Amino acid sequence: MKKRLLLPLFCAVEFFVILIVLEQQAHAYVDPGSGLLMFQVGGSMLAGACFMLRRKLRRLFRLDRSVKEDASQGNQAIINEARSCEPNNSR
């Protein structure tokens, strides 16, 4: 489990170190609105990730309950159907 967590972290640190080492002076103008656009994109991604995580967690906990209820209802329906298909031996 630790290896699965350490590898992406190590890759991210390595990526940022390479970016810092290979830094070059930029001769360009960056509009202040560009920074706000990046801030908005990051915020939107964070909000979307939170929404998806909440949805997955709700589905996980709701699914656990509904599977047990569906299984008991499904088993009862199968039992009732089997009883109704039994031939009558009362002659």
Side-chain angles (χ1 to χ4, degrees):
M1 182 76 172
K2 281 187 175 183
K3 287 182 181 180
R4 291 181 77 182
L5 295 174
L6 289 177
L7 184 62
L9 181 65
F10 178 71
C11 289
V13 169
E14 186 177 337
F15 177 72
F16 285 114
V17 168
I18 290 172
L19 284 179
I20 291 170
V21 169
L22 300 176
E23 180 183 359
Q24 295 179 357
Q25 187 176 8
H27 300 287
Y29 172 72
V30 178
D31 188 5
S34 300
L36 290 176
L37 179 65
M38 294 305 288
F39 183 71
Q40 181 181 358
V41 167
S44 299
M45 290 173 66
L46 180 65
C50 290
F51 174 75
M52 292 300 294
L53 179 65
R54 182 185 73 176
R55 189 170 144 208
K56 295 284 184 186
L57 287 175
R58 282 186 178 179
R59 184 178 291 172
L60 176 71
F61 291 122
R62 193 176 316 139
L63 181 67
D64 188 36
R65 239 182 285 135
S66 65
V67 166
K68 290 178 184 175
E69 292 171 1
D70 288 345
S72 65
Q73 290 174 356
N75 289 341
Q76 188 62 37
I78 291 171
I79 291 169
N80 291 340
E81 185 177 327
R83 286 181 181 164
S84 66
C85 292
E86 289 177 356
N88 270 340
N89 292 334
S90 58
R91 285 190 182 178

